[in-house]
């Protein structure tokens, strides 16, 4: 199973990568939405985990772009962010996000959420 991580924080990317690789996933990480779109040309994820607020292209715009592409139209996409208010979550759902995880999080919760949304 392949997972793409999209987050502008190198610390978060490395933390997620370690958890996911230890659990047997292949991981590709990107620093923002534009980087993710570029890497998707070479990496075929089963799920994408993205931050909401990032430079150049944030998570909402990334999800909207992914939902418009035939290859990523139905791909599970999770937001992993510090923002959990109802308005932000509504925007996430409207953009096409599959689910939401709040930072801080623990490895067990992350892995449970991934298993729940994977086909």
């Amino acid at each position: 199973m392949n997972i793409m991580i999209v987050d502008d924080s190198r610390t978060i990317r490395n933390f997620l990568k370690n958890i996911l690789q230890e659990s047997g996933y292949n991981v590709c990480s990107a620093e923002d939405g534009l980087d993710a779109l570029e890497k998707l040309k070479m990496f075929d994820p089963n799920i994408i985990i993205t931050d909401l607020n990032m430079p150049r292209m944030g998570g909402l715009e990334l999800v909207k772009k992914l939902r418009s592409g035939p290859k990523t139209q139905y791909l599970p996409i999770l937001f992993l962010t510090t923002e959990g208010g109802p308005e932000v979550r509504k925007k996430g759902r409207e953009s096409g996000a599959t689910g939401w995880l709040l930072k801080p999080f623990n490895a067990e919760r992350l892995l449970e959420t991934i298993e729940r949304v994977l086909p």
Side-chain angles (χ1 to χ4, degrees):
M1 287 284 186
N2 295 333
I3 297 181
M4 177 175 274
I5 300 163
V6 188
D7 200 302
D8 57 324
S9 165
R10 181 184 317 233
T11 303
I12 294 291
R13 287 194 312 267
N14 289 339
F15 181 63
L16 287 169
K17 189 173 186 176
N18 288 339
I19 292 169
L20 296 170
Q21 285 180 333
E22 284 178 13
S23 297
Y25 293 104
N26 298 315
V27 178
C28 175
S29 59
E31 61 189 39
D32 60 31
L34 289 178
D35 190 30
L37 292 174
E38 191 61 33
K39 289 182 175 175
L40 282 169
K41 294 174 183 173
M42 304 296 287
F43 186 77
D44 192 19
N46 299 97
I47 185 172
I48 294 176
I49 301 170
T50 183
D51 191 10
L52 188 60
N53 297 309
M54 297 175 286
R56 299 195 311 157
M57 181 188 289
L60 288 173
E61 188 178 348
L62 173 62
V63 173
K64 287 176 188 172
K65 285 197 180 301
L66 293 172
R67 290 299 179 227
S68 68
K71 183 177 161 186
T72 54
Q73 185 177 7
Y74 301 110
L75 191 68
I77 303 171
L78 295 175
F79 274 114
L80 178 64
T81 181
T82 56
E83 297 185 49
E87 188 60 35
V88 173
R89 285 180 183 242
K90 182 176 183 250
K91 286 181 182 175
R93 279 191 302 276
E94 288 171 353
S95 72
T98 309
W100 206 274
L101 270 169
L102 284 176
K103 295 176 187 173
F105 62 94
N106 63 41
E108 186 176 313
R109 175 108 168 100
L110 172 71
L111 295 170
E112 284 173 2
T113 304
I114 289 169
E115 289 298 319
R116 196 167 55 242
V117 300
L118 278 173

